[in-house]
């Protein structure tokens, strides 16, 4: 009964989850984990996190290596998370999954605003379709999409507007989230020993983290926005019953932005002194002026040659190259 990748990982031995949702393996920092998807690294060079989230229902296999690991897995101190995504098969397969609900609490003093229930306050729609392409059985496809939205469980009360005037007293969600993700893969059997796979993963998420200072001025805090994509091509060539090689070329991009209004000179912004309050007080008006943006673009080229020389000895050699372009504005 889990919905996110982090919830799957938290079920494994030696894995813990921090209060912010970050993953820790064997007590290490969250930035000491290397993430791999379909045989290539997808770790964000900025903070060591997973650059592109993979949805649970699109995962064929997941491996957590929390002990020692092979030399091919670089840039990792505490563990490896290796994900294999689903492929299309010989037959058409599709599914749709939906659920909805709301958060309820009997203590309206602690959890104000959630005593009014709505079946659409927290909902999820996802589906997938896979099978052979119309061009022939040698070409298969897999498609997956998901839309998730939640109002959260922490609400503010609009006692004040951002200009300091008296608000309408409406209950406003303050830890809401809205996410859309898409995943696709094409696999082409060029010959009985040569295969080409092209895959892409994309996601977009807008959300707001709860800020207790803005509880009475919930419209004044920043909104966080993140988006990214991963595009990869993999060639697998079997040279003999005991030897094969893979060539993996990929590009992934991750962008994170944080602001209330996109234009820093927006007239709806107020001077930073408008947020000056007593240390024990809530915001009685004003706007959070913070503007933050970061972006990571990574190109990866990877070649591996594997040979089972004897029933007891396997030899693997390879070469990997990465190129990062990073941007930061705070």
């Amino acid at each position: 009964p889990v919905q996110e990748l982090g919830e799957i990982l938290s079920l494994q031995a030696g894995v813990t989850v921090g209060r912010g949702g970050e993953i820790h393996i064997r007590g290490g920092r969250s930035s000491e984990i290397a993430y791999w998807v379909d045989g290539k690294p997808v770790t964000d060079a900025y903070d060591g996190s997973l650059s592109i989230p993979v949805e649970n229902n699109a995962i064929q296999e997941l491996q957590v290596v929390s002990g020692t690991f092979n030399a091919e897995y670089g840039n990792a101190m505490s563990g490896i998370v290796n994900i294999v995504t689903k492929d299309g098969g010989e037959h058409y397969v599709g599914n749709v999954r939906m659920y909805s609900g709301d958060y309820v609490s009997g203590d309206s003093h602690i959890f104000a605003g959630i005593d009014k229930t709505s079946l659409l306050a927290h909902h999820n729609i996802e589906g997938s379709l896979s099978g052979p392409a119309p061009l022939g059985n040698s070409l298969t496809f897999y498609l997956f999409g998901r839309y998730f939205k939640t109002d959260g469980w922490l609400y503010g009360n609009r006692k004040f507007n951002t200009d300091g005037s008296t608000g309408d007293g409406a209950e406003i969600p303050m830890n809401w989230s809205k996410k859309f993700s898409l995943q696709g893969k094409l696999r082409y059997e060029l010959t009985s020993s040569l295969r080409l796979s092209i895959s892409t993963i994309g996601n977009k998420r807008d959300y707001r983290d709860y800020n207790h200072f803005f509880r009475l001025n919930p419209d004044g805090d920043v909104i966080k926005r993140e988006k990214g994509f991963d595009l990869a091509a993999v060639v697998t060539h079997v040279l003999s019953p005991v030897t094969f090689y893979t060539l993996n070329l990929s590009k992934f991009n991750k962008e994170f932005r944080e602001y209330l209004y996109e234009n820093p000179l927006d007239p709806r912004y107020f001077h930073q002194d408008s947020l000056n309050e007593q240390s024990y007080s809530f915001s009685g008006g004003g706007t959070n002026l913070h503007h933050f943006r970061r972006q990571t673009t990574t190109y990866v080229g990877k070649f591996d040659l594997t040979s089972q020389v004897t029933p007891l000895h396997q030899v693997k050699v390879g070469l990997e190259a990465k190129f990062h372009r990073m941007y930061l504005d705070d």
Side-chain angles (χ1 to χ4, degrees):
V2 293
Q3 309 300 331
E4 307 295 337
L5 174 63
E7 296 174 333
I8 293 182
L9 295 176
S10 66
L11 300 176
Q12 310 305 309
V15 179
T16 58
V17 181
R19 61 180 298 178
E22 63 276 7
I23 301 297
H24 303 273
I25 297 180
R26 296 188 300 127
R29 297 182 177 91
S30 59
S31 59
E32 295 177 343
I33 304 172
Y35 293 93
W36 286 59
V37 174
D38 292 336
K40 64 182 184 301
V42 292
T43 305
D44 189 348
Y46 175 79
D47 58 1
S49 62
L50 176 62
S51 61
I52 306 296
V54 181
E55 301 294 346
N56 287 1
N57 283 353
I59 296 176
Q60 177 68 34
E61 181 181 352
L62 184 143
Q63 178 188 29
V64 178
V65 183
S66 58
T68 56
F69 31 83
N70 296 336
E72 64 179 303
Y73 299 110
N75 301 321
M77 293 290 289
S78 61
I80 305 292
V81 176
N82 196 358
I83 301 170
V84 178
T85 60
K86 290 182 179 179
D87 284 314
E90 298 179 355
H91 306 284
Y92 290 106
V93 178
N95 70 79
V96 177
R97 180 184 182 190
M98 297 179 289
Y99 65 83
S100 65
D102 199 359
Y103 292 97
V104 179
S105 171
D107 194 333
S108 60
H109 296 288
I110 298 178
F111 296 102
I114 66 172
D115 52 337
K116 301 175 183 178
T117 58
S118 170
L119 291 181
L120 295 179
H122 181 98
H123 61 270
N124 178 88
I125 303 173
E126 60 185 71
S128 66
L129 179 65
S130 64
L135 300 178
N137 292 334
S138 59
L139 179 64
T140 61
F141 72 92
Y142 177 84
L143 291 174
F144 175 86
R146 181 190 183 195
Y147 175 77
F148 172 77
K149 181 181 181 298
T150 178
D151 287 343
W153 59 92
L154 298 172
Y155 282 71
N157 189 297
R158 190 186 282 141
K159 296 289 187 181
F160 302 97
N161 295 316
T162 55
D163 61 0
S165 61
T166 303
D168 57 9
E171 302 289 348
I172 306 297
M174 293 187 65
N175 68 327
W176 58 268
S177 177
K178 181 171 59 177
K179 179 173 71 170
F180 176 77
S181 56
L182 186 67
Q183 184 170 326
K185 180 185 285 189
L186 287 174
R187 187 183 67 186
Y188 188 27
E189 303 288 345
L190 298 169
T191 67
S192 60
S193 61
L194 184 61
R195 173 191 298 172
L196 170 65
S197 294
I198 299 176
S199 62
T200 182
I201 303 173
N203 80 298
K204 184 178 185 297
R205 181 188 178 210
D206 297 338
Y207 63 100
R208 174 175 274 169
D209 288 332
Y210 179 76
N211 188 332
H212 199 55
F213 177 67
F214 284 92
R215 185 178 182 276
L216 302 183
N217 174 25
D219 300 317
D221 198 17
V222 295
I223 297 175
K224 300 181 180 182
R225 299 167 171 87
E226 61 183 32
K227 62 181 179 180
F229 71 88
D230 174 78
L231 181 63
V234 182
V235 175
T236 304
H237 190 190
V238 178
L239 301 177
S240 72
V242 296
T243 304
F244 70 95
Y245 72 82
T246 60
L247 176 63
N248 200 321
L249 302 174
S250 67
K251 171 187 177 181
F252 64 81
N253 177 279
K254 181 178 181 179
E255 182 180 8
F256 174 83
R257 304 186 72 178
E258 177 180 309
Y259 56 82
L260 178 56
Y261 307 120
E262 186 171 11
N263 182 6
L265 303 179
D266 194 301
R268 291 174 292 178
Y269 276 123
F270 294 93
H271 193 275
Q272 60 185 5
D273 289 347
S274 63
L275 294 178
N276 288 342
E277 301 284 353
Q278 301 287 347
S279 59
Y280 51 81
S281 300
F282 294 106
S283 169
T287 50
N288 189 337
L289 304 182
H290 189 212
H291 267 248
F292 178 90
R293 180 191 175 195
R294 71 171 182 88
Q295 185 174 14
T296 302
T297 303
T298 298
Y299 300 87
V300 180
K302 190 171 184 291
F303 175 82
D304 294 295
L305 176 66
T306 305
S307 182
Q308 190 71 40
V309 182
T310 72
L312 298 179
H313 299 86
Q314 184 187 77
V315 176
K316 187 172 186 178
V317 295
L319 179 67
E320 178 184 287
K322 299 180 187 177
F323 175 76
H324 304 288
R325 175 173 287 144
M326 305 175 69
Y327 173 87
L328 176 67
D329 181 27
D330 188 3

